[in-house]
Amino acid sequence: MLGAELLNASAQVIAARTGRMVQGLTDPAGQDLAELSLMTTEKTEALAAAAAALSVRAGAVGERLGQAALDEGARAMQAATEIACALTPAAAAQAQFRYALGWWSRAAGQTLTLSAELTQAQTAALTPIHKTAVANAKRLRKR
């Protein structure tokens, strides 16, 4: 929904501003300089806000993934100890199987969590751009 609304608003803004620029070519004195200057400042502000939102999300994801890697290393060390200390080959195989099964389960959970976090990061990054485009489309419709 956010993406579709952003595309629609962007098309409206581009059409309105292009019309104003064409009008300025035929009547330079009538050029809408205020609108032309907004084109740069608004984009810069929206992209800076999007980058900041993405940075915060990426930092949190990186921190969580780093901790998960450390935790998995500790589990691997524990599993290696269990395998090495097993009294029978069957006990060693059971310890190895428990670790492998647990690893697959944790990996699946990490994948789902990462997918959700990346979707949230995308939404956070698009929100300031969306907000600016929708506000511009609304403002330009009134003019």
Side-chain angles (χ1 to χ4, degrees), residues 2-18 43 126 129-138 140-141:
L2 188 73
E5 193 173 41
L6 171 60
L7 288 175
N8 184 40
S10 295
Q12 291 177 31
V13 171
I14 290 166
R17 286 179 169 168
T18 302
K43 282 182 182 69
L126 279 179
I129 297 167
H130 171 269
K131 180 181 174 184
T132 300
V134 169
N136 282 342
K138 184 178 180 180
L140 288 167
R141 277 193 300 265

Side-chain angles (χ1 to χ4, degrees), residues 61-73 75 110:
V61 169
E63 185 178 328
R64 189 188 57 71
L65 289 175
Q67 186 60 52
L70 289 172
D71 293 346
E72 195 58 42
R75 286 185 183 99
Q110 287 287 335

Side-chain angles (χ1 to χ4, degrees), residues 101-120:
L101 190 60
W103 181 87
W104 279 107
S105 177
R106 289 185 298 277
Q110 287 287 335
T111 300
L112 292 173
T113 300
L114 181 60
S115 178
E117 288 172 335
L118 293 176
T119 300
Q120 291 168 355

Side-chain angles (χ1 to χ4, degrees), residues 24-40:
L25 291 174
T26 59
D27 178 17
Q31 184 67 272
D32 191 347
L33 297 176
E35 190 62 37
L36 288 175
S37 70
L38 283 175
M39 290 170 59
T40 303

